[in-house]
């Protein structure tokens, strides 16, 4: 099924292109702590796996602890069974505390209470966070509301990550140079920000609501980058392309068409590992952490030119201010 971990789906035919990373240097993550939301499946899991191979310590921030514990154990098993090197950098050694390098923590982005509890635990347990990857998301789900009453896609994809990032920002600044990575989608092109109906109370179209949440991700990157200038914290967005994950479970495909769709997805869609390349690139590549990259969106590990509506600073500031009120940071 189509998907993108954090929701990087694009219509068939637009997700291809060169997926070769320009990253040719050793990009060790040894000694670095990375938080990946939605790290139990899809792009998030593939991202976590590659960062672990590069020596990182990964905090898996996931909603379903039972399913995620199985994924954590599989990641550990893969890591133990493939000792050696990635890009010339040792990934394991007899001294490595492998169990301690894959940490599972509960995070439900549909609950601001859960987001606050997660961040409280991170601030108590972690001396530093080098990379925050806002990857988790929901895609074209039926109309529903979060625990706090927000439309589900806007609430999870934008507001949950907005609060998460805000609450961890001081720690990220103390850990500088550090990075924030926001997984968006090229489907942002189909959305717009209607400040009179952010909650989809007047009308609801699941595809439009998804696109709006992905546009909100990019506007968040735009305003956050402005606020982080000179802080040593780099923030970037990315679009991963169309990827075979379970994120598209709410998309209806006629029963008779499913076998054909499955074959087409194998031929045309990216694997989770391919979809994770840009996330890994932005987490590891030295150039991505430099000032010139601040606020840029990437696709296929290269800067992407966005439509003006995704970089409108006036709209970005207004969305930021309203989001602060919605999540209870200001009144």
């Amino acid at each position: 099924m189509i998907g993108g971990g954090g929701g990087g789906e694009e219509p068939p035919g637009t997700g291809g292109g060169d997926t070769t990373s320009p990253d040719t240097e050793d990009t060790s993550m040894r000694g670095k702590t990375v938080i990946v939301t939605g790290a139990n499946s899809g792009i998030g899991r593939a991202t976590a796996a590659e960062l672990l191979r590069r020596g990182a310590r990964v905090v898996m921030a996931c909603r379903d602890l039972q399913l995620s514990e199985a994924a954590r154990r599989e990641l550990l098993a893969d890591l133990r069974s493939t000792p050696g090197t990635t890009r010339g950098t040792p990934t394991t050694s007899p001294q490595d505390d492998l169990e301690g390098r894959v940490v599972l923590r509960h995070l439900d982005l549909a609950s601001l209470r859960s987001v606050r509890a997660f961040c409280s635990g991170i601030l108590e347990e972690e001396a530093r966070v080098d990379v925050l990857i806002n990857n988790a998301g929901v895609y074209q789900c039926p109309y529903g509301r979060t625990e706090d009453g927000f439309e589900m896609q806007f609430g999870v994809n934008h507001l949950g990550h907005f609060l998460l990032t805000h609450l961890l920002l001081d720690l990220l600044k103390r850990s500088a140079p550090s990075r924030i990575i926001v997984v968006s989608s090229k489907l942002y092109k189909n959305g717009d920000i209607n400040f009179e109906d952010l909650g989809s109370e007047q009308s609801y179209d699941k595809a439009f609501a998804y696109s709006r949440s992905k546009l909100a991700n990019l506007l968040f990157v735009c305003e956050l980058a402005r606020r982080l200038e000179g802080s040593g914290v780099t923030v970037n967005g990315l679009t991963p392309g169309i990827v075979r994950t379970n994120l598209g479970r709410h998309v209806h495909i006629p029963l008779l068409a499913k076998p054909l769709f499955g074959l087409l997805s194998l031929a045309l869609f990216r694997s989770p590992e391919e979809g994770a390349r840009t996330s890994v690139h932005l987490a590891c590549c030295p150039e991505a952490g430099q000032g010139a990259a601040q606020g840029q969106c990437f696709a296929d590990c290269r800067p992407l030119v966005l439509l003006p509506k995704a970089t409108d600073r006036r709209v970005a500031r207004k969305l930021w201010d309203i989001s602060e009120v919605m999540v209870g940071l200001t009144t």
Side-chain angles (χ1 to χ4, degrees), residues 186 188-193 195 214-223 295 297 304-317 319:
K186 286 184 180 178
Y188 83 89
K189 297 176 181 179
N190 301 330
D192 64 52
I193 303 298
F195 289 110
K214 295 291 102 179
L215 175 59
N217 287 159
L218 295 174
L219 290 166
F220 173 53
V221 169
C222 176
E223 177 63 11
C297 182
L304 175 70
V305 177
L306 296 171
L307 294 180
K309 66 179 176 180
T311 57
D312 187 319
R313 293 191 175 185
R314 182 190 63 82
V315 175
R317 285 194 294 269
L319 179 62

Side-chain angles (χ1 to χ4, degrees), residues 27-331:
T27 49
S28 172
M29 293 293 286
R30 184 172 294 277
K32 297 185 182 297
T33 295
V34 182
I35 296 174
V36 183
T37 67
N40 61 304
S41 64
I43 291 176
R45 177 169 172 170
T47 299
E50 181 59 26
L51 293 174
L52 285 166
R53 294 186 190 102
R54 294 174 186 246
R57 177 173 173 270
V58 174
V59 178
M60 302 172 63
C62 305
R63 181 178 60 85
D64 189 321
L65 288 182
Q66 184 174 359
L67 290 176
S68 301
E69 175 59 25
R72 187 187 77 88
R73 293 191 177 281
E74 289 172 4
L75 285 171
L76 282 169
D78 290 345
L79 200 59
R80 289 191 178 101
S81 66
T82 56
T85 62
T86 297
R87 298 194 186 280
T89 303
T91 60
T92 60
S93 72
Q95 292 76 33
D96 278 337
D97 175 12
L98 291 184
E99 287 284 342
R101 284 183 52 205
V102 191
V103 180
L104 176 60
R105 294 290 179 265
H106 179 258
L107 173 65
D108 183 355
L109 290 161
S111 164
L112 299 183
R113 175 175 50 85
S114 175
V115 174
R116 292 181 182 277
F118 171 82
C119 291
S120 178
I122 291 294
L123 295 176
E124 182 177 338
E125 298 169 4
E126 303 295 339
R128 63 181 297 113
V129 170
D130 299 278
V131 184
L132 169 64
I133 303 180
N134 291 339
N135 165 84
V138 290
Y139 174 69
Q140 294 196 16
C141 57
Y143 183 79
R145 292 185 176 273
T146 68
E147 178 180 282
D148 305 279
F150 307 126
E151 185 275 312
M152 186 64 69
Q153 296 189 82
F154 190 76
V156 170
N157 297 349
H158 171 60
L159 291 174
H161 280 126
F162 178 89
L163 179 62
L164 174 74
T165 304
H166 180 90
L167 296 178
L168 295 179
L169 207 49
D170 285 343
L171 179 56
L172 285 158
K173 289 178 179 178
R174 293 196 300 270
S175 306
S178 55
R179 307 182 186 191
I180 300 168
I181 299 164
V182 179
V183 180
S184 182
S185 165
K186 286 184 180 178
L187 289 180
Y188 83 89
K189 297 176 181 179
N190 301 330
D192 64 52
I193 303 298
N194 179 2
F195 289 110
E196 303 304 317
D197 192 27
L198 287 177
S200 297
E201 295 175 351
Q202 298 175 18
S203 64
Y204 181 72
D205 177 274
K206 63 182 183 179
F208 171 81
Y210 175 77
S211 295
R212 177 175 57 192
S213 73
K214 295 291 102 179
L215 175 59
N217 287 159
L218 295 174
L219 290 166
F220 173 53
V221 169
C222 176
E223 177 63 11
L224 183 58
R226 184 185 70 82
R227 292 170 179 253
L228 288 177
E229 285 291 346
S231 68
V233 184
T234 303
V235 57
N236 294 114
L238 70 92
T239 63
I242 183 167
V243 182
R244 296 189 303 273
T245 76
N246 65 355
L247 195 64
R249 59 189 176 275
H250 296 298
V251 178
H252 174 70
I253 300 171
L255 183 63
L256 294 177
K258 284 188 176 182
L260 177 60
F261 182 83
L263 291 174
L264 287 174
S265 70
L266 290 173
L268 300 177
F269 298 173
R270 295 177 178 179
S271 68
E273 290 72 24
E274 290 170 330
R277 285 177 181 170
T278 303
S279 294
V280 172
H281 171 75
L282 290 174
C284 303
C285 180
E287 289 80 4
Q290 296 176 358
Q294 182 70 295
Q296 290 191 48
C297 182
F298 283 70
D300 297 326
C301 304
R302 293 175 175 82
L304 175 70
V305 177
L306 296 171
L307 294 180
K309 66 179 176 180
T311 57
D312 187 319
R313 293 191 175 185
R314 182 190 63 82
V315 175
R317 285 194 294 269
K318 184 174 181 179
L319 179 62
W320 180 286
D321 292 341
I322 291 176
S323 298
E324 283 190 325
V325 174
M326 294 178 79
V327 302
L329 293 173
T330 60
T331 56

